[in-house]
Amino acid sequence: MCRVVDLQQAVLAKNEEAAQVLRAELTARGTTVVNLLSSPGSGKTALLEQELLLARQRGVAVAALTADLATENDAVRLARSGVPVKQVLTDGLCHLEARMLGRHLDGWLPADTRLLFVENVGNLVCPASYDLGESLRVVLASVTEGEDKPLKYPTAFGLAHLVVVTKTDIARAVEFDEDAFRAHVQQVNPGVEVVLTSARAGEGAGALLDRALAVGAGGAVHAPVMAQEPQAHHHHHYEEGQAGHVHPHPHPHTHPHAHPDPAVAQAR
């Protein structure tokens, strides 16, 4: 049985409310949340492992929560850094939601955590529409994914506070056109910073950590134009499975998703 339902208020608005509450709670305790989004295989976990190691060396209290549909492979890798790490298995859900994140943080996140890195589920569609209460949203793309990635996923790149390019050590081998990529990023998100990194070669090491610490200290955050536009009109295709369990599949229409809360829009 399938039915099409407008979930603009029913799902996204509820998530926005939960995200605002979570952001306020974590900010009050001095914790800055960094939401990492990318396609599978972008090198997100390798880069995060590097940044966690650097944070520990600098004496910065950090933690990481990583989400996947299955396996605890990423958590095992990140735990090698020696910082608190938690794996979340979404059981088929293609993204994290603010309420879900809050439940997993409750009773686990150390009280003195200064930075919490959230490695979202690997895709650039579903997670783009869900605010997790983050203060810094980072979208990553590897040099192997093509210069037109920002144009193909305008919502993900258009709502980013920071864009990170990974695997630059092989950029020449795959004929990555940096200028074209930067131009496409600016087309969907004017003014956003683009950082080049290579976990293998060490390029850009600490850049993500530095940006996150700056935001936590009250530094300015890029304000995406897309986040200030009228809120999107999303239709979700609902599939009812066994025991009446419902799985939403978003189909965004012409306008991108935005954050209606003025405080959030200003922070972004």
Side-chain angles (χ1 to χ4, degrees):
M1 174 181 177
C2 296
R3 55 195 174 92
V4 176
V5 184
D6 186 344
L7 295 180
Q8 181 61 41
Q9 297 301 321
V11 175
L12 292 178
K14 283 186 177 180
N15 184 78
E16 290 289 346
E17 180 180 354
Q20 292 168 29
V21 171
L22 184 59
R23 182 182 294 106
E25 291 176 350
L26 291 172
T27 300
R29 59 184 281 179
T31 301
T32 299
V33 178
V34 182
N35 184 9
L36 304 176
L37 291 79
S38 78
S39 300
S42 68
K44 181 167 72 263
T45 305
L47 179 65
L48 180 54
E49 182 180 5
Q50 172 183 272
E51 298 299 294
L52 294 177
L53 283 167
L54 287 172
R56 188 183 180 195
Q57 292 170 9
R58 296 183 188 179
V60 179
V62 297
L65 181 145
T66 181
D68 278 302
L69 276 66
T71 82
E72 297 187 357
N73 295 347
D74 287 351
V76 171
R77 289 182 59 186
L78 295 177
R80 297 185 302 202
S81 65
V83 308
V85 175
K86 185 171 186 178
Q87 178 75 57
V88 173
L89 299 180
T90 63
D91 193 27
L93 191 65
C94 62
H95 62 275
L96 285 173
E97 297 178 8
R99 199 178 303 275
M100 182 191 309
L101 177 61
R103 288 198 303 267
H104 284 286
L105 297 182
D106 188 26
W108 168 74
L109 187 67
D112 65 342
T113 303
R114 189 172 172 187
L115 296 177
L116 170 64
F117 288 96
V118 178
E119 185 180 13
N120 219 314
V121 180
N123 80 79
L124 288 173
V125 181
C126 305
S129 294
Y130 288 85
D131 185 351
L132 299 182
E134 70 266 17
S135 296
L136 184 65
R137 175 177 288 210
V138 182
V139 175
L140 302 89
S142 72
V143 298
T144 61
E145 296 178 63
E147 298 81 4
D148 61 348
K149 199 78 171 184
L151 303 181
K152 290 182 176 180
Y153 299 92
T155 300
F157 283 89
L159 289 173
H161 301 132
L162 177 68
V163 173
V164 173
V165 178
T166 61
K167 305 183 182 181
T168 56
D169 54 297
I170 61 171
R172 180 173 297 181
V174 299
E175 299 182 346
F176 176 68
D177 188 335
E178 181 185 336
D179 291 339
F181 180 84
R182 288 180 178 275
H184 293 154
V185 168
Q186 295 306 314
Q187 186 174 334
V188 299
N189 193 345
V192 70
E193 181 183 12
V194 177
V195 175
L196 304 181
T197 67
S198 168
R200 178 176 295 178
E203 181 179 5
L208 180 57
L209 177 60
D210 290 341
R211 302 308 190 278
L213 287 172
V215 171
V221 182
H222 170 69
V225 174
M226 184 176 288
Q228 302 168 15
E229 294 177 356
Q231 193 168 4
H233 184 64
H234 289 266
H235 282 169
H236 286 237
H237 179 72
Y238 258 77
E239 294 181 359
E240 295 189 3
Q242 294 181 349
H245 187 61
V246 180
H247 302 275
H249 300 275
H251 300 281
H253 285 235
T254 55
H255 300 291
H257 175 64
H259 299 273
D261 177 34
V264 176
Q266 183 177 3
R268 293 176 181 277

